[in-house]
Amino acid sequence: MVANRKPIPSEADITRLTGHNFPGGFYTVAHWENFLLTECTGAALLPDGLVHPVALFHIPIVGAGTSIAEMFALGQAESDLSIMIESYDWEIFVALREETRYAINSSITSANRCRNEQGDLYDRIQFCFEIHTPDHGLAARVTMTWHYTRNML
Amino acid sequence: MKLAVGDSIPEWEMASVSPERMRTMAAILRDPNPLHWDRDAVDALPLGLGKRTINQGPLGLSYIINMLQAWGGPDCLRRIVMRFPQVVLDGERVVARGEISVLREAQGVWLADCSTRLEHDDRGVLLEGTATIVLPENAVLID
């Protein structure tokens, strides 16, 4: 793991990520996908084509035209193992349904260098995604805050 | 359904967190992080977790959503905010729990703000946060 570790980026490299826009795009949850996702949660499939809210993790990422790997790379993660979750904030205004084409836009809303209580350095990056219905209503807003730890693992 | 601030939400149990489900989830999420599918990668970390994979954060969160939906209905969730103080490991038994913090009306519907958490018998709280759900129409609020 240590052999693959990347050097710590400059603070300026991190703070300039604020305002970064992802390409944006569309995402449709297929029935098979919702079935498998829901099964992973241990719940029964929801009625009437409702998508399990756990999909609010990957729908915005993929639909915005990015990937977990790219989000790791933007913050110059020292390895795939170095990312810690601070929080997820999922707001749902309209329940998501299978086979519906949602439009997604996204940006990095903050990026800062921090130290934890032990004095360890990390970079805190917050991603915000908005998911819109086909008639342009706001269906959901997802805010993900990750810590890019440095030399902690 | 009679509800009052302080009421507990019926708990939801995941009897054993499944490594196979983590692998399926990793494929669907396009998640390259080996912590979710490679026990040796986890064992190599200086965290003393042993040869056990780490559950995806959204999956742990989903157990809390399952508790809320089993109680409030399949489309009850309006907001969930979750922090992740500890990891969830394969093979663990975890239980989602919560209580009603606030009952309020907004835009013509009744909402319950709830404190929620995912607990392990020995390690305590693994996830913690808040959630807001729309109350079912048959809910009766008690002062």
Side-chain angles (χ1 to χ4, degrees):
Chain A
M1 247 63 80
V2 174
N4 295 330
R5 185 177 285 162
K6 298 182 178 70
I8 297 175
S10 72
E11 185 170 356
D13 283 345
I14 295 301
T15 56
R16 73 166 58 100
L17 291 172
T18 301
H20 174 86
N21 289 308
F22 294 100
F26 298 90
Y27 198 94
T28 302
V29 179
H31 173 71
W32 66 266
E33 185 178 5
N34 189 35
F35 185 98
L36 290 178
L37 272 174
T38 306
E39 197 278 335
C40 285
T41 76
L45 195 64
L46 298 173
D48 305 323
L50 282 171
V51 172
H52 193 291
V54 73
L56 285 173
F57 181 74
H58 81 292
I59 287 175
I61 292 173
V62 178
T66 185
S67 64
I68 296 172
E70 185 190 29
M71 292 161 70
F72 285 4
L74 274 170
Q76 300 185 49
E78 62 185 27
S79 78
D80 289 347
L81 309 174
S82 65
I83 305 293
M84 310 292 282
I85 307 166
E86 177 183 295
S87 64
Y88 292 146
D89 181 352
W90 297 353
E91 298 171 85
I92 301 171
F93 308 104
V94 180
L96 303 186
R97 293 186 185 275
E98 296 175 357
E99 310 300 347
T100 301
R101 190 172 187 250
Y102 294 98
I104 292 113
N105 57 58
S106 173
S107 64
I108 293 177
T109 49
S110 71
N112 306 101
R113 178 143 293 174
C114 307
R115 285 191 187 275
N116 65 16
E117 291 175 355
Q118 290 72 42
D120 298 316
L121 191 75
Y122 67 95
D123 293 313
R124 178 182 185 274
I125 301 181
Q126 188 167 78
F127 305 87
C128 184
F129 303 83
E130 290 191 335
I131 302 171
H132 295 269
T133 61
D135 60 359
H136 311 295
L138 182 60
R141 183 184 296 116
V142 169
T143 305
M144 304 181 186
T145 307
W146 288 350
H147 292 179
Y148 292 66
T149 65
R150 311 294 180 188
N151 293 330
M152 286 171 64
L153 295 176
Chain B
M1 179 187 274
K2 294 181 178 177
L3 301 173
V5 171
D7 282 358
S8 293
I9 302 166
E11 64 186 34
W12 191 93
E13 177 190 9
M14 172 53 74
S16 179
V17 174
S18 157
E20 289 78 18
R21 285 174 169 165
M22 290 186 211
R23 292 192 192 103
T24 302
M25 198 71 177
I28 295 171
L29 303 184
R30 291 84 165 166
D31 187 344
N33 196 330
L35 297 179
H36 307 309
W37 38 265
D38 183 349
R39 286 175 165 155
D40 290 334
V42 178
D43 192 36
L45 295 174
L47 300 175
L49 299 175
K51 289 200 171 198
R52 307 171 83 177
T53 49
I54 296 175
N55 209 24
Q56 286 91 347
L59 266 187
L61 197 164
S62 77
Y63 306 151
I64 293 170
I65 293 172
N66 290 346
M67 169 188 71
L68 295 166
Q69 291 182 327
W71 176 59
D75 62 349
C76 68
L77 186 64
R78 289 297 173 269
R79 187 172 193 177
I80 187 162
V81 182
M82 200 58 48
R83 294 172 297 281
F84 300 78
Q86 295 195 70
V87 296
V88 178
L89 299 169
D90 78 63
E92 289 192 318
R93 174 186 177 271
V94 293
V95 180
R97 296 190 170 98
E99 293 86 28
I100 299 173
S101 305
V102 175
L103 292 166
R104 60 188 170 93
E105 188 177 15
Q107 298 175 328
V109 295
W110 279 92
L111 303 171
D113 297 325
C114 307
S115 62
T116 58
R117 61 199 177 278
L118 188 69
E119 295 183 335
H120 181 274
D121 280 347
D122 299 324
R123 295 198 293 122
V125 174
L126 309 181
L127 278 65
E128 61 184 352
T130 58
T132 299
I133 69 159
V134 175
L135 295 177
E137 290 183 0
N138 65 351
V140 176
L141 310 186
I142 301 170
D143 289 332

